[in-house]
Amino acid sequence: MASSITSKPFLGATKPNSSLSSDLQRLSFASLHISIKPRTLKKLQIEAAGSTFGNYFRVTTFGESHGGGVGCIVDGCPPRIPLSEADLQVDLDRRRPGQSRITTPRKETDTCRLYSGVSEGVTTGTPIHVFVPNTDQRGHDYKEMSIAYRPSHADATYDMKYGVRAVQGGGRSSARETIGRVASGAIAKKILKHFSGTEVLAYVSQVHQVVLPDGSVYHDTVTLDQIESNIVRCPHPEYAEKMIAAIDAVRTRGDSIGGVVTCIVRNAPRGLGSPVFDKLEAELAKAVMSLPATKGFEFGSGFAGTFLTGSEHNDEFFTDEHGTIRTRTNRSGGIQGGISNGEIINMRVAFKPTATISVKKAAYSDSRKERDRTVSSRSS
């Protein structure tokens, strides 16, 4: 069943001659007055949501948090690549909610199905359809969201743009959209491994004020097993315990904190990316900054590089024992002039504190003389 939607927006998209309840006319959060008056909408040219990424390897994700399911269509995968549902399930299981006390409690198996693009265990070169059914829909949890916007969620802006939104769980703004990215990413990793031995790894390098010191993880040798050795996915055992403790401290209060994920790419082919608008770091930034809750992106030395001089920051070239041109340092992050140089690509992505919390947020009438209603910040 498709996720239910509301066609009664109450901020910035009021339909002509619509009748609004007195509650909606007076509704405001403690930190923001919302006064609604019926008015005639201007005619706007509204485009559909951008759900496709890539050029030669194109990924389109679909589905909503509490609809029938989510997934992706992958076009541009080469033929004759061995591929099975089990290959995708490994990464989907890593993403799956409800794995530990520090993740969302939603219970989903996230079992994937391949419906096209694969025959007798190999890709055919045609579009690959991956589908994951939703099994833990809780639409009744979101009844109040039809008349109240959750703080720091996408409810209000979706109404402003489209005049209609999926009330249950946030629809396309939900983190369940990332299932399609994980499945397509598993396919992409297999292609890169097959053709160039490229390996992509990511780990948590910061949780709130617990920051993994530079150089404490050796990017040449860190393994997936080390990353997966604890529930916070930090390959440094001592700092992993500190991160878990920080999360537990706020979790018991019904609150949340943010952090940073470091991603590395080993054995990346040289020459990926193009100058000017299609620089490799720009493409990577668009991919990761479109993830839910992202607030910052840096690669190589990042913002810390602004504290160095040119002579300190420059990566000196040398020829290694195999006759390959390398750099002695990697402050460029494996990319120079927008093009990969063969060194390890490293980037960091900042994630804000999860907006989905148990702390109550009060909404008041315009007069502020009495509390109108209390709304939690629940999400998917």
Side-chain angles (χ1 to χ4, degrees):
M1 179 181 293
S3 176
S4 68
I5 61 175
T6 177
S7 57
K8 298 179 181 179
F10 65 92
L11 179 61
T14 307
K15 292 185 176 181
N17 302 319
S18 64
S19 61
L20 297 174
S21 69
S22 58
D23 278 347
L24 296 185
Q25 292 172 338
R26 296 182 297 109
L27 185 61
S28 68
F29 286 108
S31 60
L32 173 66
H33 276 287
I34 302 175
S35 181
I36 295 92
K37 296 180 181 179
R39 64 174 182 264
T40 302
L41 281 177
K42 295 180 180 179
K43 290 186 178 295
L44 299 176
Q45 183 66 39
I46 299 178
E47 297 181 357
S51 297
T52 300
F53 179 81
N55 294 310
Y56 301 105
F57 184 88
R58 292 179 297 278
V59 176
T60 300
T61 67
F62 63 83
E64 296 167 340
S65 176
H66 288 265
V70 292
C72 64
I73 302 293
V74 178
D75 195 10
C77 179
R80 301 182 301 280
I81 301 293
L83 186 67
S84 67
E85 292 168 349
D87 293 329
L88 310 186
Q89 199 63 54
V90 172
D91 282 331
L92 288 171
D93 286 345
R94 296 179 64 222
R95 197 222 74 96
R96 180 171 51 83
Q99 296 186 51
S100 71
R101 66 181 186 273
I102 66 172
T103 65
T104 174
R106 180 170 176 169
K107 300 295 183 182
E108 294 280 0
T109 62
D110 285 354
T111 304
C112 72
R113 293 288 180 265
L114 285 169
Y115 286 125
S116 69
V118 178
S119 178
E120 298 182 352
V122 296
T123 58
T124 61
T126 58
I128 299 171
H129 176 194
V130 184
F131 181 73
V132 174
N134 291 329
T135 59
D136 187 23
Q137 300 99 322
R138 302 185 308 276
H140 59 277
D141 286 353
Y142 299 89
K143 290 180 180 178
E144 72 229 40
M145 304 313 169
S146 63
I147 60 170
Y149 295 143
R150 295 165 296 176
S152 290
H153 286 73
D155 305 342
T157 51
Y158 271 49
D159 256 359
M160 292 173 188
K161 182 174 178 66
Y162 299 108
V164 62
R165 62 187 171 94
V167 173
Q168 297 178 346
R172 290 289 287 163
S173 65
S174 165
R176 280 195 71 73
E177 181 273 337
T178 62
I179 284 177
R181 302 178 190 232
V182 171
S184 57
I187 297 172
K189 286 197 301 181
K190 187 149 192 173
I191 296 171
L192 289 170
K193 189 75 171 179
H194 178 77
F195 283 101
S196 57
T198 302
E199 185 178 17
V200 182
L201 295 171
Y203 61 89
V204 175
S205 53
Q206 178 180 338
V207 169
H208 200 217
Q209 297 179 7
V210 181
V211 182
L212 198 60
D214 289 341
S216 57
V217 174
Y218 193 46
H219 287 173
D220 283 309
T221 58
V222 65
T223 66
L224 181 60
D225 287 342
Q226 290 174 321
I227 295 169
E228 292 291 311
S229 64
N230 54 76
I231 59 176
V232 79
R233 293 193 170 114
C234 172
H236 193 292
E238 178 185 348
Y239 277 86
E241 290 303 317
K242 294 179 181 180
M243 292 175 182
I244 294 170
I247 296 171
D248 282 338
V250 298
R251 182 180 61 87
T252 55
R253 303 197 303 265
D255 214 338
S256 65
I257 48 181
V260 175
V261 170
T262 295
C263 179
I264 62 171
V265 183
R266 294 194 292 232
N267 297 320
R270 297 180 176 191
L272 298 179
S274 302
V276 195
F277 295 112
D278 295 330
K279 291 181 177 179
L280 181 56
E281 66 268 34
E283 297 290 346
L284 293 172
K286 181 177 182 178
V288 299
M289 288 300 291
S290 63
L291 288 166
T294 52
K295 288 298 179 182
F297 171 84
E298 59 180 0
F299 78 101
S301 62
F303 291 103
T306 62
F307 294 101
L308 303 177
T309 64
S311 59
E312 293 170 326
H313 192 276
N314 286 347
D315 294 320
E316 181 183 348
F317 288 106
F318 76 102
T319 302
D320 67 13
E321 64 274 17
H322 304 293
T324 303
I325 297 176
R326 302 282 308 278
T327 59
R328 297 191 186 278
T329 54
N330 191 24
R331 298 184 185 93
S332 299
I335 304 172
Q336 294 173 324
I339 301 170
S340 60
N341 63 5
E343 301 295 334
I344 294 176
I345 295 172
N346 67 81
M347 50 191 157
R348 292 167 298 284
V349 188
F351 290 85
K352 69 174 183 177
T354 306
T356 304
I357 55 177
S358 299
V359 177
K360 298 291 182 178
K361 292 292 184 180
Y364 294 83
S365 64
D366 281 346
S367 65
R368 296 205 178 194
K369 291 181 179 179
E370 60 181 1
R371 181 166 295 183
D372 196 26
R373 66 180 72 247
T374 300
V375 181
S376 71
S377 297
R378 281 196 300 253
S379 185
S380 56

